[in-house]
Amino acid sequence: MASAYKPYKKIFADHNGILRASKAIELGVPKHVLYEMAKTGELVREAQGIYRLSDGDPLGNPDLVNISLRVPRAVFCLISALYFHELTTQIPHSVYFALPRDVKTPKVYHPPVWVFHYSKTSYQAGIIEYELDGVKVKIYDREKTVADCFKFRKKVGMDVALEAVKDYFTQPNPNVSLLLKYARINRVEKVMRPYLEALL
């Protein structure tokens, strides 16, 4: 039976071994075959509606990859982005991502998520696309992430924002003008400026 799955395994292999169920079906994998392949162990069900080839490497960033596949407009922000950029000692217990204000909060039961709705300008500013585990993942750059922590300081805690800005200045190539640009977009320049001046 395994040989019958060969063409379907190739479809997965051509997409870095991981696909949303809806995308796999669209590419020609029949729904019942997906379930059969999961049952026989050819596929691993990574998360709700996401499957990967079992003979591939386990995902290095499963939460970010799964959310990116399920919520294509998600941009990882705040604690998730801080952790990615090594700007915090916090371990994220939820996945933090941003969506534009006019996009509804998706139903995601696992992993636990915190969804933040950004204005159009703030949402679009500072997005960098990385490839993690063969999947395109959008994360705010370091400067935007620090500015976002000041904007959402009541949600993430002022201590997290202060740790982020201090850690930022210990990393190579700090860019103060970019930090201030994002601070202006987020309307937190007055809040951030004294801390930046103290650290410079």
Side-chain angles (χ1 to χ4, degrees):
M1 188 66 191
S3 60
Y5 297 143
K6 219 170 175 183
Y8 306 124
K9 284 183 80 168
K10 189 181 181 314
I11 290 171
F12 272 84
D14 290 344
H15 292 83
N16 298 297
I18 187 164
L19 281 169
R20 284 183 77 167
S22 55
K23 185 71 180 166
I25 291 161
E26 192 185 300
L27 292 166
V29 182
K31 202 175 192 175
H32 72 277
V33 170
L34 265 185
Y35 299 139
E36 280 168 22
M37 286 174 77
K39 209 180 272 183
T40 59
E42 300 276 340
L43 290 177
V44 174
R45 186 173 178 267
E46 267 296 328
Q48 187 188 343
I50 293 170
Y51 294 87
R52 73 170 172 84
L53 289 174
S54 57
D55 51 14
D57 292 330
L59 298 179
N61 298 275
D63 291 348
L64 302 191
V65 167
N66 289 335
I67 295 292
S68 295
L69 288 168
R70 285 156 73 190
V71 189
R73 296 188 72 183
V75 183
F76 298 103
C77 62
L78 300 165
I79 312 282
S80 292
L82 286 179
Y83 187 73
F84 181 81
H85 293 302
E86 298 179 356
L87 290 170
T88 185
T89 51
Q90 305 266 327
I91 307 266
H93 297 297
S94 301
V95 181
Y96 290 68
F97 64 86
L99 287 172
R101 274 195 190 140
D102 58 350
V103 175
K104 270 178 30 189
T105 301
K107 284 190 171 77
V108 176
Y109 302 108
H110 184 80
V113 297
W114 271 50
V115 182
F116 293 79
H117 286 89
Y118 283 32
S119 68
K120 189 180 174 186
T121 317
S122 185
Y123 170 76
Q124 290 173 344
I127 295 174
I128 298 185
E129 203 168 72
Y130 295 88
E131 194 166 293
L132 305 180
D133 299 308
V135 172
K136 287 187 169 62
V137 168
K138 294 191 280 287
I139 303 174
Y140 286 117
D141 66 22
R142 295 181 306 150
E143 293 78 10
K144 177 66 163 36
T145 300
V146 170
D148 284 350
C149 286
F150 278 89
K151 181 174 176 65
F152 293 101
R153 60 195 180 278
K154 287 193 175 130
K155 295 266 172 73
V156 298
M158 192 62 178
D159 54 332
V160 170
L162 294 176
E163 182 188 32
V165 75
K166 280 180 192 154
D167 286 357
Y168 173 77
F169 280 103
T170 67
Q171 291 188 353
N173 311 315
N175 185 333
V176 178
S177 59
L178 193 55
L179 268 177
L180 286 170
K181 177 190 160 185
Y182 294 139
R184 281 191 285 276
I185 287 171
N186 281 348
R187 300 184 182 158
V188 287
E189 189 182 358
K190 275 188 186 155
V191 181
M192 276 180 74
R193 203 175 261 283
Y195 297 106
L196 296 182
E197 285 167 0
L199 290 163
L200 288 172

